[in-house]
Amino acid sequence: MKTILIQLDTDPQPSSFDRVVAIDAGIDELFCYGGVSPESVEPLVHGAMFTRGPADLKHTAIFVGGSDVASGERLLERVRKTFFGPIRVSVMMDSNGSNTTAAAAVLSAKKQFGSFAGVEALVLAGTGPVGQRAAQLLAAEGASVRVASRTRDRAAKTCAAIASQVSGGKLSPWSTASDAELRSACEGVHLVIAAGAAGITLLPADVRRSIGSLKVAIDLNAVPPLGIAGVEVMDKAVERDGVMWYGAIGVGGLKMKIHKAALRRLFESNDQVLDTAAIYQIGQRLQ
Amino acid sequence: MKTILIQLDTDPQPSSFDRVVAIDAGIDELFCYGGVSPESVEPLVHGAMFTRGPADLKHTAIFVGGSDVASGERLLERVRKTFFGPIRVSVMMDSNGSNTTAAAAVLSAKKQFGSFAGVEALVLAGTGPVGQRAAQLLAAEGASVRVASRTRDRAAKTCAAIASQVSGGKLSPWSTASDAELRSACEGVHLVIAAGAAGITLLPADVRRSIGSLKVAIDLNAVPPLGIAGVEVMDKAVERDGVMWYGAIGVGGLKMKIHKAALRRLFESNDQVLDTAAIYQIGQRLQ
Amino acid sequence: MKTILIQLDTDPQPSSFDRVVAIDAGIDELFCYGGVSPESVEPLVHGAMFTRGPADLKHTAIFVGGSDVASGERLLERVRKTFFGPIRVSVMMDSNGSNTTAAAAVLSAKKQFGSFAGVEALVLAGTGPVGQRAAQLLAAEGASVRVASRTRDRAAKTCAAIASQVSGGKLSPWSTASDAELRSACEGVHLVIAAGAAGITLLPADVRRSIGSLKVAIDLNAVPPLGIAGVEVMDKAVERDGVMWYGAIGVGGLKMKIHKAALRRLFESNDQVLDTAAIYQIGQRLQ
């Protein structure tokens, strides 16, 4: 029986990126839908639920994607509500690559630290979709996580949201609007992950050089100017100035491996929901 | 040469249900189009007609689907008009599963009666797309068919429409608006097929029990409350109270087999039109 | 690694014709997008550029199609601008079959003349997408090309456009609005290619018979009345009245072969742009 992946994309044109990755992951048949909304998704999910016998449901799966992560989350929620009892298929959500990118960034850091116990981590743009996910994974791993945003308020909301998912997570909100605030947020950190928008430098050179405690710097922005001054986009565990650097493309190889492994995992049983934590676990087994 | 099925769907998103069934029927390549109207269909049909040589036209076929059966009928008509002479491909129409469901229901009944000669059949919601098709197939098989609707007028129109296709068909229109009318319509029937909308009971328990002549009861509604009180959705030739019961899922297995067999049949020659009668015949050979 | 063709179509529904040809050319996976505009194409091209390693980029390619040739040209331009450095995939443009049809017409004529040196060629409807491309190919081959249009002005613009691409091309603009003008344009020509709209006769019988020098007549209109009186749509190097005739379907077989060969060529390296001249060269090697 052929494996079928139903790609539900919230953008008008379903992502060609996600399609190529699905083909390269070895999926037999790909059904792609663009412009999918929570309101229009039910019949598409029913088509996955009611066409194959219970024992064969694991050969069909759903992928939720698109450039807007919040829309993807709402779509995933509706997909899950459409299932009932054992009549379900596995589903993965990776809008804008948010889950696979966050997992790849945190796993790259883990390779350097071994354990996150005692690690002070700063996530710049920590309230965005990738930043929030990286902060969540770091907190779950036991790091002490500083969630940074332009306003302390937004950072605090993100900390609260993560705390509700990660019991015992050590999280603190930081504002990085001014140079002084940014320097405070950086004090004593061992790890910085910059998860901001393309073309915006979140950590200038002089501030970065002032962090004597810094061991690992990971930037997820591929478009110059990069997010952390001093990184190069191809960096992959490159040491410079006593810091281990990762750039967006350097992290991208692992991100791609995680994406493909997660897609293949979908077809092992019919009851999986591959969200941030589950995708991270899949990445961990790849190491 | 690969088999290609061009799925023309009248809904904005082409049915994922029909896509999975097509893959499971072994079709090599599926081209799916949503939001197809009679006005936009010509170039899509031309692409089927003018790309492969006359001897290879049978490797391409067209499937007309979508949730609205009337729209599907108009689309099928336009597809057929686009062909000319021997430059054509085979085409199947099964909007909302109407043809395969009606065929599966009538074939399930036939398994019980052997022959429909002398059988009094009542089709509840007999003016809807599935009901009308079931009534047509029963009439063609020689049953005496009572077409029931809320108004006698609509039922009469459906009887006339069927009579124009099935010469010598024994058809009568019935109103089932009141309890008394429903009881009259049920008097002396051996077979009831309920083809109504999801979640509406067409035949309550007390009326059903009052039909001493009833041998077979088939309900095509999968969403509770079911269409015939006393049926269970998984029933497949289950005897209870002296009646042989079929529920929507009990009929669904045969429906699926017919759907797949019809799709495969499309690729045996380039000149077939698989409509209600043709799809029923395909189902008969599967028995 | 599977070959992937990303079909970007400027029409709302991506051409089923181009899809069938792509499958028959042996491409493994086809991603089809309709309603693609220069504004929306960037992420689709990025999905081709950033998913496979540099050595594997040649297994992904892009096809630009749709019924409107000018829209296709704008789309091709934007696709090419999205690439940077060696991070690119091969791309073919054949909106409305314009490039493959023009190539097939000119190659059919070449089979008769051997060389175009000294050949006087007239292209009727020479300012349309197919006519202009045929004129360009003829000029590049050394024929003396008369570009005919209803107004001399439009013909002159097309000549200038072609001259900027074909250095040393012998081109002249002709008006064919009146019978007298048409007769002048035809005087002394050895080859006529009619590239007009469906159902319009560009060269009536009496004018055609008056061209004593005529050796080859090629009509690319498949819908009666045909473009050149006296042609038959299936003609393929059929001699009548001392003229070698080609009709639209007679040319169509070669067009199809060129189309498939060009698609296959896309996957030989990642840096090709298959436009009018490149597609013609591919056709030449098929002879």
Side-chain angles (χ1 to χ4, degrees):
Chain A
M1 181 164 277
K2 284 187 173 177
T3 52
I4 294 175
L5 184 69
I6 303 180
Q7 179 181 339
L8 304 175
D9 200 299
T10 56
D11 292 340
Q13 302 280 29
S15 162
S16 61
F17 187 103
D18 291 336
R19 291 173 86 161
V20 175
V21 178
I23 294 301
D24 287 347
I27 286 155
D28 293 324
E29 299 287 341
L30 201 51
F31 298 174
C32 290
Y33 292 93
V36 182
S37 68
E39 289 68 40
S40 65
V41 84
E42 197 181 276
L44 299 176
V45 178
H46 281 168
M49 293 162 65
F50 298 130
T51 40
R52 293 171 154 187
D56 290 321
L57 280 171
K58 69 173 181 180
H59 301 300
T60 308
I62 290 174
F63 177 90
V64 173
S67 58
D68 188 65
V69 180
S71 299
E73 282 171 338
R74 285 193 293 274
L75 197 57
L76 173 63
E77 196 193 334
R78 189 62 168 264
V79 168
R80 297 181 65 176
K81 278 190 183 161
T82 305
F83 299 146
F84 53 81
I87 309 298
R88 59 179 61 238
V89 300
S90 287
V91 54
M92 168 179 178
M93 190 277 200
D94 197 32
S95 293
N96 214 20
S98 54
N99 282 322
T100 50
T101 301
V106 174
L107 284 166
S108 296
K110 194 175 184 184
K111 207 177 275 180
Q112 300 306 322
F113 290 105
S115 154
F116 284 108
V119 170
E120 284 289 326
L122 169 66
V123 182
L124 296 167
T127 59
V130 174
Q132 174 164 348
R133 285 167 164 79
Q136 173 192 326
L137 295 172
L138 288 166
E141 282 277 17
S144 176
V145 186
R146 304 180 189 184
V147 175
S149 177
R150 251 162 295 180
T151 74
R152 210 186 165 283
D153 232 45
R154 291 191 57 201
K157 275 185 196 156
T158 295
C159 288
I162 296 172
S164 74
Q165 294 187 285
V166 181
S167 69
K170 285 167 278 179
L171 294 141
S172 57
W174 296 75
S175 163
T176 53
S178 70
D179 184 76
E181 287 178 320
L182 178 60
R183 284 176 190 271
S184 295
C186 290
E187 232 177 81
V189 300
H190 308 110
L191 165 66
V192 173
I193 295 179
I200 295 172
T201 301
L202 296 170
L203 189 59
D206 58 332
V207 184
R208 197 271 302 163
R209 277 192 218 101
S210 74
I211 321 173
S213 54
L214 190 63
K215 297 264 181 287
V216 180
I218 298 176
D219 182 33
L220 301 173
N221 164 11
V223 180
L226 299 182
I228 305 180
V231 75
E232 281 171 33
V233 77
M234 307 290 290
D235 281 349
K236 185 180 171 181
V238 172
E239 201 174 337
R240 268 195 310 275
D241 301 344
V243 172
M244 200 62 89
W245 294 92
Y246 287 86
I249 296 181
V251 172
L254 177 57
K255 176 217 175 304
M256 212 64 136
K257 271 186 210 162
I258 296 171
H259 190 159
K260 288 177 196 168
L263 288 173
R264 282 189 285 260
R265 175 70 61 82
L266 286 170
F267 298 95
E268 292 182 7
S269 68
N270 75 318
D271 56 358
Q272 301 169 77
V273 177
L274 301 189
D275 55 9
T276 309
I279 289 170
Y280 179 76
Q281 278 172 17
I282 289 166
Q284 258 183 315
R285 292 194 218 167
L286 291 177
Q287 302 297 301
Chain B
M1 180 164 277
K2 284 187 173 177
T3 51
I4 295 175
L5 184 68
I6 303 180
Q7 179 182 338
L8 304 176
D9 200 299
T10 56
D11 292 341
Q13 302 280 29
S15 162
S16 61
F17 186 103
D18 291 335
R19 290 173 87 161
V20 175
V21 178
I23 294 301
D24 287 348
I27 285 155
D28 294 323
E29 298 286 342
L30 201 50
F31 297 175
C32 290
Y33 292 93
V36 182
S37 68
E39 290 67 41
S40 66
V41 84
E42 197 182 274
L44 299 176
V45 179
H46 280 168
M49 294 163 65
F50 298 130
T51 39
R52 292 171 154 187
D56 289 323
L57 280 171
K58 68 174 180 179
H59 301 299
T60 308
I62 291 173
F63 177 89
V64 173
S67 60
D68 188 65
V69 179
S71 298
E73 282 172 339
R74 284 193 294 274
L75 197 56
L76 174 64
E77 197 194 332
R78 189 63 166 263
V79 168
R80 297 181 65 177
K81 278 190 184 163
T82 305
F83 298 146
F84 54 81
I87 309 299
R88 60 179 60 240
V89 300
S90 287
V91 54
M92 169 178 178
M93 190 276 200
D94 197 32
S95 293
N96 215 21
S98 53
N99 282 323
T100 49
T101 302
V106 174
L107 285 166
S108 295
K110 194 175 185 184
K111 207 177 277 181
Q112 300 306 322
F113 290 105
S115 154
F116 284 108
V119 170
E120 283 289 326
L122 170 65
V123 182
L124 295 168
T127 60
V130 174
Q132 174 165 347
R133 284 168 165 79
Q136 174 193 325
L137 295 172
L138 288 166
E141 282 277 18
S144 177
V145 187
R146 304 180 190 184
V147 175
S149 177
R150 251 161 297 179
T151 74
R152 210 187 165 281
D153 232 43
R154 290 190 58 201
K157 275 184 197 157
T158 294
C159 287
I162 296 173
S164 73
Q165 294 188 286
V166 181
S167 68
K170 285 166 278 180
L171 294 141
S172 56
W174 296 75
S175 162
T176 52
S178 70
D179 184 76
E181 286 176 320
L182 178 61
R183 285 176 190 271
S184 295
C186 290
E187 232 177 79
V189 301
H190 310 109
L191 166 66
V192 174
I193 295 179
I200 295 173
T201 302
L202 296 170
L203 189 59
D206 57 331
V207 184
R208 197 269 304 161
R209 278 193 218 101
S210 74
I211 321 173
S213 53
L214 190 62
K215 298 264 182 287
V216 180
I218 298 176
D219 182 33
L220 301 173
N221 165 10
V223 180
L226 300 182
I228 305 180
V231 75
E232 282 171 33
V233 77
M234 307 289 290
D235 281 349
K236 186 179 172 183
V238 173
E239 201 175 337
R240 269 196 309 274
D241 301 343
V243 172
M244 200 62 89
W245 293 93
Y246 287 85
I249 296 180
V251 171
L254 178 56
K255 176 216 174 304
M256 213 62 136
K257 273 186 209 161
I258 295 172
H259 191 159
K260 288 177 195 166
L263 288 173
R264 282 189 285 259
R265 175 69 62 82
L266 286 171
F267 299 95
E268 291 182 8
S269 68
N270 76 317
D271 56 358
Q272 300 169 78
V273 177
L274 302 188
D275 55 8
T276 310
I279 289 170
Y280 180 75
Q281 278 172 18
I282 289 166
Q284 259 182 316
R285 293 193 218 168
L286 291 177
Q287 301 297 301
Chain C
M1 182 165 276
K2 284 187 173 177
T3 52
I4 294 176
L5 184 68
I6 303 180
Q7 179 182 339
L8 305 175
D9 200 298
T10 56
D11 292 340
Q13 301 281 29
S15 162
S16 62
F17 187 103
D18 291 335
R19 291 173 86 161
V20 175
V21 178
I23 294 301
D24 287 348
I27 286 155
D28 294 322
E29 298 286 341
L30 201 51
F31 298 175
C32 290
Y33 292 93
V36 182
S37 68
E39 290 67 42
S40 66
V41 84
E42 197 181 276
L44 299 176
V45 178
H46 281 168
M49 294 163 65
F50 297 130
T51 39
R52 291 172 154 188
D56 290 321
L57 280 171
K58 68 174 180 180
H59 301 300
T60 307
I62 290 174
F63 177 89
V64 173
S67 59
D68 188 65
V69 179
S71 298
E73 283 171 339
R74 284 193 293 274
L75 197 57
L76 173 64
E77 196 193 334
R78 189 63 166 265
V79 167
R80 296 182 66 176
K81 278 189 183 163
T82 305
F83 298 146
F84 54 81
I87 309 300
R88 59 180 60 241
V89 300
S90 287
V91 55
M92 169 178 178
M93 190 277 201
D94 197 32
S95 293
N96 215 20
S98 54
N99 283 322
T100 49
T101 301
V106 174
L107 285 165
S108 296
K110 193 176 186 184
K111 208 177 275 180
Q112 301 306 322
F113 290 105
S115 154
F116 283 108
V119 170
E120 283 289 326
L122 169 66
V123 183
L124 295 168
T127 59
V130 174
Q132 174 165 348
R133 283 168 165 78
Q136 173 193 326
L137 295 172
L138 287 166
E141 280 278 18
S144 177
V145 186
R146 304 180 190 184
V147 174
S149 177
R150 251 162 296 178
T151 74
R152 209 185 164 282
D153 233 45
R154 291 191 57 202
K157 275 185 198 156
T158 295
C159 288
I162 296 172
S164 73
Q165 293 188 287
V166 181
S167 68
K170 284 167 279 179
L171 295 142
S172 56
W174 296 75
S175 163
T176 52
S178 71
D179 184 77
E181 287 177 319
L182 178 61
R183 285 176 190 272
S184 294
C186 290
E187 232 178 81
V189 300
H190 310 109
L191 166 65
V192 173
I193 295 179
I200 294 173
T201 302
L202 295 170
L203 190 59
D206 58 331
V207 185
R208 197 270 302 161
R209 277 193 219 102
S210 74
I211 321 174
S213 53
L214 190 63
K215 297 265 181 287
V216 180
I218 299 176
D219 182 33
L220 301 173
N221 164 11
V223 180
L226 300 182
I228 305 179
V231 75
E232 281 171 32
V233 76
M234 307 290 290
D235 282 349
K236 185 179 172 183
V238 172
E239 201 175 336
R240 267 196 311 275
D241 301 342
V243 171
M244 200 62 89
W245 293 92
Y246 286 85
I249 296 180
V251 171
L254 178 56
K255 177 217 173 306
M256 212 64 136
K257 272 186 210 162
I258 295 171
H259 190 158
K260 288 177 195 167
L263 289 173
R264 282 189 285 259
R265 175 69 62 81
L266 286 170
F267 298 95
E268 292 182 7
S269 68
N270 76 318
D271 57 358
Q272 301 169 76
V273 178
L274 301 189
D275 56 8
T276 309
I279 289 170
Y280 180 75
Q281 277 173 17
I282 289 166
Q284 258 182 316
R285 292 194 219 168
L286 291 177
Q287 302 297 301

